[in-house]
Amino acid sequence: MKIYARITGTGSYLPGSPVTNNALIAAHHLDSSDEWIVERTGIRARHFAPEGVTTSDLALEAARRALEAAVCQPNDIDLIIVATSTPDYVFPSVATLLQAKLGHTNGAPAFDIQAVCGGFVYALSIAEKFIQTGTSRCALVVGAETFSRMIDWKDRSTCVLFGDGAGAVVLEASDEPGILASAVHADGRYHSILSAPGHLCGGQPIGDPLIRMDGQAVFKFAVRALADVAEETLVAANLPPEQLDWLVPHQANIRIIQATAKKLRLPPEKCIVTVERHGNTSAASVPLALDEAVRTGKIKRRDTLLLEGIGAGFTWGSVLVRF
Ligand code: ACO
C-alpha cells in the first residue's frame, strides 16, 4: 500500500514584541515612511530576536508547539530537518542543536538545508521522500531564521523587509493523503540578484556578509517562478486551481502574493497573508503562516493547501497538501 506523508501538527514562534515601521524608521534614522513601506510591501510590523537568542532557540519553541499539536513526544521523531540560512554556527547544524534542546536521544538523523526563503518547501519535500520510502515514520520539519543579524541597517531598500521567527510541522506516515504532489527547482544563474556575499574565516565575517538585493529583478523572477511551479504541482496532482482551499505562499511582499494569486485565478480571500505582521522571515515564513491559519481556524482538516516558497539562489518550489 502507498505510504503518504500527512501533517499532523503545526507550531510557530515569534520573538519579542512587534516592531512597527515607524519604530524601525526611528531606531535606525531611515529616510523612509510607514506609507512607503505599506504601499510597496504590505509590511506593517516584524519581530526581532533579542540579543543572545539564536535560531535554534526559535526553532525549539516552534517545534515544541508542533509536537504538542501532533500529540508526539520528542523521541517519537525519527527525522529532523531544519531549513535555515542563519544558523547559530557554521557547524554543528541547527537541527542537531535543536535535537539536544528537545532532549531527543533516539539517534535519528538531523540536518539543516539551506535554500534561503525556498528552504521550508525544500525541507518538506525531502521529509516526504523519507516517509514515502519507509525510511522515516515521523519527521519534524522546521523553518527558523534570525535574518535581523544580517541586515544592513543603512540600506532602506532591504532593512524594512525582514523579520525573525520559526515555524514547524510534524509529518507522519499515513495510509491517507497527505502530501499530494511537490516540486522544487533552482537556477544558480540568478545568484547575484539576491545574496549575502561574504564568508566566515576563523569565525569572522570576511567580505560583505549583509543582504544585497536587486528588488525589481527579484520581484519579476518570483512572480513568474511561483506561478509556474504552482501550475506544475497542480497538474501533477490533476487538481484544478479552483479546487484549492488555500494558497499559503512565501510572505515576502503582498504584491508578489497578489500577482501570484491572480496568475492562478485565485481570489484574494483564498490567500493566507501574514506578511503585514511578520515581514519576510525567509524559511520560517510558510510554516509560520500555516500555523497561524490553523490556530485561528481558517485552515481546517481535509482542506487542500498549496504551500509555496522562493528564495535566493534562486530556489523555489511548492507542496500540495491535503491537510
Ligand atoms: N523607503 C522609502 N524609499 C525607498 C525605500 C524605503 N524603505 N526603499 C527604496 N526606496 C526608494 C528607492 O531608493 C527608489 O528611489 P529613487 O527612485 O530615488 O532611486 C524608489 O524608492 C523606488 O525604488 P524601487 O526599488 O524601484 O521600488 P520598488 O517599487 O521596486 O519596491 C521593493 C522595492 C519593495 C524592494 C520591491 O522591489 C520588492 O519587494 N521586491 C521583491 C524583493 C523581495 O521581496 N525580497 C525579499 C527577499 S527574496 C524573497 O523572499 C523572494
Side-chain angles (χ1 to χ4, degrees), residues 32 36 40 117 156-157 194 213 215-216 250 252-253 280 310:
S32 187
W36 192 96
R40 303 291 178 108
C117 309
R156 65 179 180 173
S157 67
L194 180 58
M213 181 179 74
Q216 289 190 2
H250 173 45
N253 183 314
N280 181 349
I310 183 157

Side-chain angles (χ1 to χ4, degrees), residues 3-8 77-83 109-113 118-143 168-174 178-179 181-184 307 319 321:
I3 308 174
Y4 290 99
R6 272 195 62 220
I7 294 175
T8 54
I77 297 292
D78 58 9
L79 171 68
I80 300 175
I81 309 180
V82 177
F111 57 91
D112 289 359
I113 71 119
F120 184 76
V121 290
Y122 264 61
L124 197 58
S125 71
I126 294 166
E128 185 209 2
K129 307 296 179 285
F130 271 75
I131 288 179
Q132 267 183 347
T133 55
T135 311
S136 302
R137 292 204 55 85
C138 186
L140 175 64
V141 186
V142 183
V169 302
V170 174
L171 196 67
E172 293 190 65
S174 169
I179 291 181
S182 65
V184 284
L307 315 184
V319 182
V321 174

Side-chain angles (χ1 to χ4, degrees), residues 11 21 32 96 108 116 120 129 161-162 172 191 201 209 267 291 299:
N21 291 337
S32 187
T96 55
V116 203
F120 184 76
K129 307 296 179 285
L161 302 178
F162 296 95
E172 293 190 65
H191 68 273
C201 182
D291 182 53
I299 292 180

Side-chain angles (χ1 to χ4, degrees), residues 92-112:
S93 66
V94 174
T96 55
L97 298 174
L98 171 64
Q99 191 176 34
K101 288 179 180 183
L102 279 170
H104 182 271
T105 54
N106 69 9
F111 57 91
D112 289 359

Side-chain angles (χ1 to χ4, degrees), residues 30-33 36-37 40-41 117 147 155-162 194 211 213-220 222 226 250-253 255-256 280 282 310-312 314:
L30 296 174
D31 178 12
S32 187
S33 67
W36 192 96
I37 299 168
R40 303 291 178 108
T41 71
C117 309
F147 257 58
D155 178 3
R156 65 179 180 173
S157 67
T158 55
C159 74
V160 300
L161 302 178
F162 296 95
L194 180 58
I211 299 162
M213 181 179 74
D214 176 345
Q216 289 190 2
V218 168
F219 193 103
K220 281 184 204 142
L226 288 173
H250 173 45
Q251 307 285 320
N253 183 314
R255 293 187 295 138
I256 296 179
N280 181 349
S282 188
I310 183 157
F314 254 70

